[in-house]
Amino acid sequence: MTTGASEADPRVVTEREFLDELTSVTRARTATEFLYLMAQGDAVIGVQWEQPGVDHLRRYRVRDSCPHCLVLEAVLALAPVLPLDVMRAGRARPQYETVLRTGRLPHLAFARRAGSAGESWLGDCHAVDGDPHTDADCARHAVPAPTGDLLDLRPGALPRALRELYPHDAAATADLRQRLRIARDWRADAQAVASGVREAAATWAFLRTSCVLGVPVPGAGGLVLTVAPDRAADDRPLTELHAAAVRSLPTGGPLAYAQRACLVPELGAGSQRMPSYAGAVDLVGAAPVRTLRLPAPRRPLSTTGRGVLLLYEARHAMGRHVAAAPERDSAYWESEAALHVFEFTLLERVAGRHYQDAVAAYVQALRREGDLLARPHKVLDRRRRKALSTAFGGLDDEELHLWASVAYRNAILVLLGDPTAFAAHLRRQAG
């Protein structure tokens, strides 16, 4: 890769000069395939245009302007130029600020879709080590890195409404401890998988710094009570919280989720083994909230498998900012395809060549069949099944079938060769 023009020392410019130059250079560099807007510390913004065979980096320091506000303003300026659709332009802010709250450097990444001139570019946000905060930050973005743990709770901080659900305080405390143990175990497995995987850094940061504990309200599906160590104990009764939440919900338009999400451990040993994402209403915050439901161990999954699954569902939650999912919109299915690609990437990193061998076996079978497989469960022979199981430290038949099915989906993407075509495939399958 040849490195093109680069500026070692950042240029000092005005906000208008920065936005004008960003858009004009982007229009001129029509061969650009990847574009990065990078907070680089010391109030510097890096912009990199990547074209086949050459990267072009420029660094800026903008006078009298919050660099984080300016990066987000730059996304809006770039939206008609790249172009970016409303969904991708809109979700840049929450993704960027989620990373920022962890005390790491947010790098927004945009990628042109192959063979799709005029269609929206893809977008994501990476987390990079480094201190993003300076005196130039505005009040909204001058947030220090978190020092505590959102699952480090004190029984005395429980909301009154939660205590009402139990016959005495000791029962409430025992319930809380059991739920915390389940949530911490799941989260620890996700951390082990995310460690050293660059693509998982922002998702792990979301789990670590944006997910509080949630307790479901019995007999009221979709209602949770959130508990956080940085929130004063709420002394309102459950009936008052419910009435306040009902009054606060808008009667029309999309319902925006709260900034934080919550982990909701399930205590009953039900039929579910895997975590799942769902929307709910937080009675304490009086707002819609994203939840990650964590089943109690019935037949334990492998620790690696648990980590991959929770990161997958956390990534799902990160990409959902309103309660309605426009499933008829092609952008929705492109987002779903990106979610699957994220899972494929995790599996390639943690299961290595054994997972890649399984994908290759499915690719060969698909080429022979010339269509989707009638009996995909017959593709992996005993040797490959044993190897895939070994990569996870041992799997039972049900979990082995799960990861084999993911390898099958991965093989479909390999044959289609394009995330857009894979998104269309997912849409057809859902239909």
Side-chain angles (χ1 to χ4, degrees):
M1 175 69 72
T2 302
T3 301
S6 176
E7 299 179 15
D9 296 323
R11 291 173 50 214
V12 179
V13 294
T14 66
E15 179 176 336
R16 187 70 265 159
E17 287 171 338
F18 171 76
L19 294 174
D20 288 346
E21 184 167 316
L22 173 67
T23 54
S24 64
V25 173
T26 302
R27 283 194 180 95
R29 293 184 169 271
T30 56
T32 298
E33 294 182 346
F34 300 94
L35 174 61
Y36 297 91
L37 295 175
M38 304 172 288
Q40 295 191 324
D42 197 25
V44 171
I45 301 171
V47 182
Q48 181 156 306
W49 295 264
E50 292 190 1
Q51 300 172 276
V54 61
D55 297 345
H56 183 81
L57 172 65
R58 295 187 183 183
R59 302 173 71 239
Y60 304 88
R61 183 179 286 111
V62 181
R63 295 193 296 267
D64 302 322
S65 180
C66 169
H68 308 298
C69 287
L70 192 52
V71 167
L72 298 172
E73 182 68 23
V75 174
L76 300 180
L78 284 170
V81 179
L82 290 178
L84 292 175
D85 60 28
V86 173
M87 183 186 78
R88 290 185 178 85
R91 73 185 181 188
R93 176 181 291 276
Q95 288 180 333
Y96 185 96
E97 293 182 342
T98 293
V99 173
L100 189 63
R101 285 194 300 274
T102 71
R104 306 180 78 189
L105 295 166
H107 284 193
L108 289 171
F110 302 101
R112 183 195 301 272
R113 293 189 295 179
S116 55
E119 295 188 37
S120 176
W121 284 37
L122 305 176
D124 203 349
C125 187
H126 305 306
V128 178
D129 289 338
D131 184 1
H133 296 296
T134 68
D135 292 341
D137 293 2
C138 67
R140 176 186 176 93
H141 293 124
V143 182
T147 56
D149 185 342
L150 292 180
L151 297 184
D152 184 15
L153 301 177
R154 305 179 309 279
L158 300 185
R160 171 182 170 181
L162 181 59
R163 298 196 302 271
E164 288 180 11
L165 303 179
Y166 301 92
H168 45 77
D169 285 352
T173 300
D175 179 280
L176 182 73
R177 285 176 176 163
Q178 189 176 0
R179 292 184 190 277
L180 284 171
R181 179 184 57 79
I182 294 171
R184 287 169 178 153
D185 286 349
W186 276 98
R187 202 181 64 174
D189 292 337
Q191 181 180 16
V193 169
S195 179
V197 180
R198 181 183 63 83
E199 294 85 351
T203 309
W204 164 245
F206 174 77
L207 271 173
R208 171 70 175 78
T209 64
S210 296
C211 293
V212 300
L213 183 74
V215 178
V217 178
L223 300 181
V224 297
L225 295 166
T226 56
V227 191
D230 55 358
R231 180 193 295 158
D234 197 311
D235 199 42
R236 292 174 294 170
L238 183 60
T239 53
E240 183 179 334
L241 289 179
H242 187 275
V246 170
R247 289 195 302 269
S248 70
L249 295 178
T251 56
L255 297 178
Y257 283 132
Q259 193 173 67
R260 280 180 171 174
C262 63
L263 303 176
V264 182
E266 308 284 0
L267 298 187
S271 59
Q272 292 296 320
R273 299 181 74 189
M274 298 187 292
S276 59
Y277 160 76
V281 174
D282 170 23
L283 294 186
V284 178
V289 65
R290 298 161 290 180
T291 70
L292 296 170
R293 306 285 171 146
L294 308 177
R298 174 176 61 95
R299 286 179 294 127
L301 295 162
S302 66
T303 56
T304 298
R306 282 162 52 100
V308 171
L309 288 167
L310 182 52
L311 287 167
Y312 175 89
E313 294 300 341
R315 188 73 163 197
H316 191 176
M318 283 177 68
R320 297 288 174 263
H321 306 296
V322 294
E327 297 189 13
R328 290 178 294 179
D329 189 342
S330 61
Y332 170 85
W333 291 104
E334 289 160 10
S335 179
E336 288 294 296
L339 181 62
H340 287 291
V341 171
F342 173 71
E343 184 179 32
F344 301 156
T345 301
L346 291 179
L347 290 170
E348 287 177 357
R349 298 297 180 86
V350 299
R353 63 181 178 85
H354 299 307
Y355 173 74
Q356 293 168 348
D357 287 347
V359 173
Y362 280 112
V363 168
Q364 292 174 358
L366 284 164
R367 284 175 174 153
R368 287 195 303 269
E369 193 82 7
D371 201 348
L372 295 181
L373 303 179
R375 297 192 296 173
H377 60 285
K378 296 289 188 181
V379 168
L380 299 186
D381 57 25
R382 181 173 297 182
R383 178 184 64 81
R384 285 194 175 97
R385 289 168 62 86
K386 182 178 180 180
L388 187 58
S389 177
T390 301
F392 286 83
L395 301 173
D396 60 27
D397 288 344
E398 184 179 350
E399 189 178 355
L400 181 60
H401 176 74
L402 166 67
W403 300 122
S405 68
V406 176
Y408 176 38
R409 277 187 276 117
N410 196 343
I412 293 171
L413 170 63
V414 170
L415 278 185
L416 291 173
D418 175 27
T420 303
F422 184 59
H425 161 77
L426 294 175
R427 186 173 191 170
R428 288 192 299 271
Q429 293 298 105

